[in-house]
């Protein structure tokens, strides 16, 4: 069976079983992990960054590879970091970069054009919140909350937008630990800082933390403190099945478990907390 066929049958890929199933807190990424509001953001950022770098000259194919590499690697961190790297790359190529914040503002302007109808439809009630929630996401959050797990949401997207979109998707109420996002002073926020704070305030051993995310950063941050990292290889465009590219990236990041979404919520919950694999 080739990879494409096996991925169609994919449900839950276990790389490492939890050594301790007594989880007390769960950290979630937002975009691509729970929310589909910003689906397609890479299709805005990558062409824009390529456009910027092309002004310095060079081979277009090489520029696209470079942009993909650094955008992908930093996914999960605050957007400003990708813009900082862009400015540094412009300078390396002999160009005169703009301030990273200006690149960020232009990227967000272009992204807003893509998602404006989604946000307005949610605000007007023309779209249901679950139309833009990763399949099974709400049910899985309810299972965790009913089990007494403290839930935290941390995103690299600006906090204003994260909170607005979490409210529109009716997800805020699940996160008793708080909803956190990027700050204007980007050095005052990171997912690692959220993890450090929740561990310190709750006097929580790292192995009692479980994390869910579709990017490098949250997987590495959770693993670094001894937690269990679940990689979300969500196919955001089709809203079903697995994204093979995400899966490979999550494997590289060191995910302990990879799932396509939360559609098999009870099975995922039973595996995590009870060790059931059927």
């Amino acid at each position: 069976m080739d990879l494409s066929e096996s991925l169609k049958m994919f449900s839950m890929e276990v790389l490492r079983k939890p050594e301790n199933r007594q989880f007390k807190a769960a950290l979630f990424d937002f975009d691509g992990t729970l929310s589909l509001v910003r689906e397609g953001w890479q299709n805005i950022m990558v062409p824009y960054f390529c456009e910027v770098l092309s002004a310095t000259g060079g081979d277009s194919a090489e520029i696209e590879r470079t942009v993909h590499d650094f955008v992908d690697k930093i996914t999960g961190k605050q957007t400003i970091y990708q813009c900082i790297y862009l400015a540094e790359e412009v300078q390396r190529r002999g160009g005169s970069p703009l301030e990273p914040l200006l690149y960020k503002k232009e990227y967000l302007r272009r992204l807003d054009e893509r998602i404006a109808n989604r946000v307005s439809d949610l605000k007007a009630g023309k779209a249901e919140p679950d139309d833009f929630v990763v399949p099974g996401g709400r049910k899985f959050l309810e299972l965790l909350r009913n089990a007494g797990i403290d839930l935290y949401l941390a995103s690299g997207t600006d906090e204003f937008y994260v909170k607005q979109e979490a409210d529109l998707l009716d997800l805020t109420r699940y996160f008793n630990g708080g909803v956190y996002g990027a700050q204007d002073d980007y050095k005052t926020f990171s997912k690692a800082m959220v993890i450090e704070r929740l561990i310190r305030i709750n006097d929580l051993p790292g192995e009692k933390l479980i994390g869910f995310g579709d990017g490098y950063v949250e997987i590495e941050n959770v693993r670094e403190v001894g937690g269990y990292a679940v990689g979300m290889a969500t196919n955001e465009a089709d809203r079903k099945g697995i994204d093979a590219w995400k899966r490979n990236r999550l494997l590289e990041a060191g995910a302990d478990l990879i799932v396509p979404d939360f559609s098999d919520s009870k099975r995922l919950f039973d595996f995590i907390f009870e060790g059931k694999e059927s």
Side-chain angles (χ1 to χ4, degrees):
M1 182 182 295
D2 64 21
L3 179 61
S4 61
E5 286 301 314
S6 66
L7 292 180
K8 290 177 184 177
M9 300 170 61
F10 177 87
S11 178
M12 188 166 64
E13 186 173 3
V14 181
L15 287 311
R16 284 171 292 276
K17 296 180 181 180
E19 294 182 7
N20 178 351
R21 298 181 186 275
Q22 303 301 310
F23 298 110
K24 300 297 183 184
L27 178 77
F28 283 80
D29 173 48
F30 190 55
D31 298 311
T33 297
L34 285 172
S35 172
L36 297 171
V37 172
R38 291 174 177 256
E39 177 273 321
W41 66 266
Q42 298 97 329
N43 296 331
I44 302 298
M45 180 177 281
V46 171
Y48 169 48
F49 283 12
C50 287
E51 177 186 316
V52 171
L53 289 183
S54 293
T56 67
D59 177 70
S60 59
E62 183 276 329
I63 287 174
E64 186 171 356
R65 284 194 300 272
T66 297
V67 171
H68 269 294
D69 284 347
F70 75 76
V71 167
D72 297 344
K73 182 66 176 178
I74 307 173
T75 293
K77 295 187 74 170
Q78 299 170 71
T79 304
I80 192 66
Y81 282 100
Q82 288 154 326
C83 297
I84 290 171
Y85 200 102
L86 173 64
E88 292 173 347
E89 190 65 26
V90 169
Q91 189 154 16
R92 273 193 290 271
R93 293 167 182 265
S96 299
L98 301 177
E99 287 296 317
L101 185 58
L102 295 178
Y103 290 131
K104 178 182 172 181
K105 286 182 177 179
E106 174 59 16
Y107 158 68
L108 291 177
R109 185 193 67 77
R110 297 184 184 202
L111 178 61
D112 185 62
E113 290 181 351
R114 178 184 177 92
I115 69 172
N117 287 341
R118 301 173 186 175
V119 173
S120 62
D121 284 351
L122 284 165
K123 288 181 176 178
K126 295 180 180 179
E128 293 296 323
D130 283 354
D131 292 343
F132 293 99
V133 175
V134 168
R138 187 178 309 281
K139 181 179 178 181
F140 189 69
L141 292 175
E142 289 173 350
L143 287 170
L144 293 178
R145 292 288 287 123
N146 290 340
I149 307 301
D150 290 326
L151 303 184
Y152 297 76
L153 182 64
S155 173
T157 299
D158 285 5
E159 187 166 280
F160 172 83
Y161 297 109
V162 177
K163 289 187 172 181
Q164 173 183 258
E165 290 162 26
D167 284 345
L168 288 172
L169 298 180
D170 188 29
L171 294 178
T172 305
R173 60 192 173 97
Y174 296 103
F175 293 95
N176 60 319
V179 174
Y180 305 92
Q183 304 295 317
D184 289 339
D185 182 359
Y186 66 91
K187 293 182 180 179
T188 65
F189 168 82
S190 71
K191 291 177 182 178
M193 288 179 182
V194 173
I195 291 172
E196 186 278 330
R197 182 174 180 272
L198 77 87
I199 285 176
R200 173 171 44 82
I201 290 177
N202 297 292
D203 193 22
L204 184 76
E207 63 268 19
K208 292 192 176 183
L209 171 69
I210 185 167
F212 299 84
D214 70 333
Y216 240 93
V217 173
E218 53 266 22
I219 298 299
E220 291 183 332
N221 289 165
V222 170
R223 287 294 308 277
E224 284 168 359
V225 298
Y228 192 74
V230 180
M232 302 301 301
T234 47
N235 184 329
E236 298 178 50
D238 294 339
R239 305 189 183 193
K240 62 180 179 180
I242 190 172
D243 183 315
W245 174 84
K246 277 190 184 182
R247 172 184 175 271
N248 290 335
R249 295 285 293 167
L250 292 164
L251 287 171
E252 291 175 9
D256 296 303
L257 175 69
I258 297 179
V259 294
D261 51 39
F262 300 105
S263 56
D264 209 347
S265 296
K266 187 64 167 61
R267 182 185 173 206
L268 177 59
F269 182 87
D270 287 347
F271 169 75
I272 290 170
F273 291 92
E274 300 178 22
K276 297 179 182 179
E277 296 187 53
S278 59

